[in-house]
Amino acid sequence: MSAQLHWPHIRQFLRIDDTTGQVVSDYLGFSLVEDLLTPAARATAYEEWAAFHEWHLAQRTAELATDRVKRHLVTEWTDSMTYSCRRSAALARGENPGPWTPLRVRRPDLDAERRAIVAELVANPNT
């Protein structure tokens, strides 16, 4: 079964790259047409985007295992995307998602890892 079937509301914005076999997303394309969707469909689509991004990160586990900096950047980006998508889903449902919570508060583990990476790079600039 194609990975695209897991997300029926965003299927048209996903494709399988013939050369790599990976699922590639067109989130920008979605953002250009999301206003045409009903609020309920938009909320569902945003929930699917959040699930897709989490799934996509899980698919990259082996690739990211040996590169701490890349793994951190991809994990941080994924967390920010899923957080934004879930907030957008709540807004589309007419809910108040509350104030924006910065990554450093929401994910102190990622903030600590970022600080550790930066400290190591500053201490060893030639590595």
Side-chain angles (χ1 to χ4, degrees), residues 33-115:
V33 299
E34 70 171 297
D35 288 341
L36 302 175
L37 300 173
T38 65
R42 186 178 314 140
T44 300
Y46 271 118
E47 292 291 350
E48 287 186 8
W49 277 115
F52 169 78
H53 289 304
E54 289 171 335
W55 173 87
H56 193 250
L57 175 62
Q59 301 309 301
R60 298 181 69 184
T61 300
E63 169 199 349
L64 300 172
T66 59
D67 188 332
R68 177 184 180 202
V69 174
K70 185 175 183 180
R71 179 176 58 249
H72 172 74
L73 291 172
V74 172
T75 302
E76 189 174 284
W77 180 88
T78 300
D79 185 81
S80 294
M81 285 301 292
T82 58
Y83 180 73
S84 295
C85 287
R86 289 196 172 106
R87 286 181 58 83
S88 294
L91 287 168
R93 287 190 296 269
E95 300 168 2
N96 179 353
W100 181 269
T101 304
L103 180 75
R104 64 183 160 66
V105 174
R106 188 172 76 243
R107 291 287 308 270
D109 59 320
L110 291 179
D111 186 56
E113 179 68 358
R114 179 186 330 122
R115 290 174 187 275

Side-chain angles (χ1 to χ4, degrees), residues 9-61:
H9 294 88
I10 62 170
R11 180 180 314 151
Q12 70 191 62
F13 303 101
L14 303 174
R15 69 176 178 78
I16 305 240
D17 184 313
D18 293 331
T19 58
T20 66
Q22 294 180 350
V23 179
V24 179
S25 68
D26 181 15
Y27 184 79
L28 179 60
F30 168 76
S31 70
L32 294 173
V33 299
E34 70 171 297
D35 288 341
L36 302 175
L37 300 173
T38 65
R42 186 178 314 140
T44 300
Y46 271 118
E47 292 291 350
E48 287 186 8
W49 277 115
F52 169 78
H53 289 304
E54 289 171 335
W55 173 87
H56 193 250
L57 175 62
Q59 301 309 301
R60 298 181 69 184
T61 300

